[in-house]
Amino acid sequence: RRLPERASLKNRRDSYCARHWRGELSLPVSLWINGNLISLALAALVMAVAATDAVNEMPRWFAAGGVAYWLLLAVMTVWQLVGVWRSAGKYLAAGKSKCWGRLAMAMVILGIFASIFSLSTVGVPQTMEFAQLALGRDPIGSYQLRLLRDGTELEVSGAIIFGLTDEVAKTLDGNPKVKIIHLNSHGGRVGEARRLRNLIATRKLATFTATGCFSACTLAYAAGERRLIGRNASLGFHQYAFPGVRQRAFRRQ
């Protein structure tokens, strides 16, 4: 008799996570708290972090956090679904309501398909993007800075990526005669383009594009005290984009 008692005591002392995984928690706790409430809390946390300026202030740390989040979410999703399924099975085996037990199992099956879809269409693309950013390699390209006309003009060409505005500010500090900034870019990170826009407005620079200014580049271009454009150049505008994010999400920005 003592062996079963010791086993029961050990089970009670097991971690909460282990008990959920084995389906030993009650079905309401497994389904509504571990299966739904925790997911809502994670979603709220992501929204709170996204509302901050962390992506612009600490882009590499933010990206590393994005990778960690998707890995954690993948593991937690498996933990949630397995625990709810096992708890529902024990719930039915105990002769309790077949309606609630089968409903919980149906929700697990739907959750499996929803999770596979979310991870494949959003999680994988974002993890790949975040991983490159965390390693300091922006997949959209690089940029070049060049002083022109005896140091009175500065050309920015290439992609607008994290760190560009700081480099432009340093160059302007070292070359106070710069009055015009050339923007020849296919675009890049919106947050960085906004920082560059603010810098241009603060320094009261004129903006000019000789070859073209597209996408996020136009945010910085529009901040010019005077806006000049080459005869064969053009401006290009389009909606924001990020891997795995639907266009309607940006309309709320």
Side-chain angles (χ1 to χ4, degrees), residues 2 7 34 40 42 44-45 47 58 82-83 95 144 158 168-169 173 183 189 191-192 200 216-217 234 237:
R2 291 183 180 178
N34 298 344
L40 290 175
L42 278 176
L45 176 62
M47 293 178 65
M58 304 177 294
V82 170
Q144 299 82 38
V168 170
D173 290 341
L183 298 170
R189 303 297 173 186
E192 192 67 21
I200 290 171
C217 175
S234 58
F237 303 85

Side-chain angles (χ1 to χ4, degrees), residues 180-184 206-210 221 226-230:
I180 300 177
I181 184 167
H182 295 223
L183 298 170
N184 300 311
T207 52
F208 170 73
T209 181
Y221 176 85
R226 290 184 300 134
R227 295 178 290 279
L228 311 170
I229 187 169

Side-chain angles (χ1 to χ4, degrees), residues 194-216:
R194 288 172 176 167
R195 294 186 68 211
L196 184 58
R197 172 199 63 190
N198 295 340
L199 177 65
I200 290 171
T202 300
R203 300 293 179 105
K204 297 182 178 180
L205 301 174
T207 52
F208 170 73
T209 181
T211 61
C213 180
F214 306 97
S215 188

Side-chain angles (χ1 to χ4, degrees), residues 143-161:
Y143 62 83
Q144 299 82 38
L145 303 182
R146 184 170 60 133
L147 288 168
L148 305 170
R149 299 182 184 276
D150 297 322
T152 60
E153 300 180 13
L154 174 65
E155 180 187 40
V156 177
S157 58
I160 298 177
I161 61 176

Side-chain angles (χ1 to χ4, degrees), residues 1-9:
R1 285 188 175 182
R2 291 183 180 178
L3 289 177
E5 290 176 359
R6 289 180 181 177
S8 177
L9 181 60

